[in-house]
Amino acid sequence: MTDALLPLEVLRDVASVDVALKGVEEQLSRVLPNCTPEVMAQWTPLERASTILSLSKTLNILFCLYLRTEGLDPDKHPVTDDVERVGRYQTKVQAAIDSKRRPTVNLDIRAANRFIEHAIPDLQEDKKRRLRELNNKGNLKRLQEKMPVSLTPKRRPSGLTVAEEAAAFLAEASKDIQNTNVESGKEK
């Protein structure tokens, strides 16, 4: 009897919404059992935030759909504040995900050398010069540029990674400093 009252297009739309809601219900039945405090305690904070954000967005969307079925405009309902708040959190979570993808640590070799040079007050001029020469080994232009650090270690022209090259530099500088201390002890 109600079929005769509603146009065929509306009935098809209602049926497609019903199928979509059953799909959402099926997905939620898979996700929700894994959202217990015990299970989520094993996740990283970013995984927890992403999951809670997804659930919040889902609930807000479903509530907006409910309001529409009741003939209410969701844009004039207080739920819009929650939708905006979740949107702000989505921006924050996305920024955290993006920052995980791009490393933020850069080694400023020149600054490290200045630090070493000034940390040892009795370093002789020839040793300071040697330290500066070690700094200038390799491709100085590339070292001076602000290059992003990749997740996989890139090989330098010397065949070493930046970390290996820095470790080798520090080991050589340490030897030079120790030799200087030994030589200055002999001079006394």
Side-chain angles (χ1 to χ4, degrees):
M1 183 174 199
T2 56
D3 292 349
L5 297 176
L6 297 173
L8 188 58
E9 285 180 19
V10 172
L11 291 175
R12 273 190 244 141
D13 289 343
V14 168
S16 68
V17 167
D18 187 47
V19 169
L21 284 174
K22 285 181 182 173
V24 169
E25 185 179 1
E26 179 184 327
Q27 293 298 321
L28 284 174
S29 69
R30 290 182 189 169
V31 171
L32 288 178
N34 295 323
C35 291
T36 63
E38 297 82 25
V39 173
M40 290 179 77
Q42 299 172 4
W43 296 351
T44 66
L46 193 55
E47 289 172 332
R48 283 193 301 267
S50 295
T51 302
I52 292 170
L53 180 69
S54 296
L55 290 173
S56 298
K57 286 174 63 174
T58 302
L59 288 173
N60 281 333
I61 290 169
L62 289 174
F63 188 71
C64 287
L65 288 173
Y66 168 75
L67 289 175
R68 287 195 188 274
T69 62
E70 293 293 316
L72 299 172
D73 185 6
D75 294 334
K76 296 179 181 173
H77 192 275
V79 75
T80 56
D81 296 336
D82 273 347
V83 171
E84 290 172 8
R85 184 175 53 86
V86 169
R88 287 191 304 270
Y89 282 113
Q90 170 143 12
T91 304
K92 291 179 181 181
V93 168
Q94 190 60 46
I97 290 170
D98 291 343
S99 72
K100 287 278 247 191
R101 290 186 185 139
R102 114 183 89 81
T104 58
V105 176
N106 288 327
L107 176 63
D108 187 346
I109 293 175
R110 293 180 349 162
N113 285 338
R114 287 191 305 269
F115 178 79
I116 292 169
E117 190 175 320
H118 294 299
I120 306 167
D122 59 343
L123 194 60
Q124 298 171 348
E125 273 308 310
D126 62 328
K127 296 302 177 183
K128 286 183 182 181
R129 188 174 16 85
R130 176 78 174 119
L131 195 60
R132 287 186 206 114
E133 287 171 6
L134 287 173
N135 180 35
N136 292 331
K137 274 188 179 177
N139 189 349
L140 183 61
K141 183 177 179 183
R142 183 173 174 188
L143 292 175
Q144 291 174 341
E145 292 176 359
K146 294 278 185 180
M147 304 263 315
V149 178
S150 65
L151 293 174
T152 56
K154 290 186 179 178
R155 299 287 170 181
R156 310 280 295 160
S158 64
L160 301 172
T161 64
V162 172
E164 293 167 341
E165 204 170 276
F169 165 76
L170 290 174
E172 194 170 336
S174 176
K175 286 178 189 174
D176 283 349
I177 291 167
Q178 287 175 354
N179 289 340
T180 301
N181 290 341
V182 170
E183 289 172 7
S184 60
K186 288 179 183 177
E187 290 174 7
K188 291 180 181 179

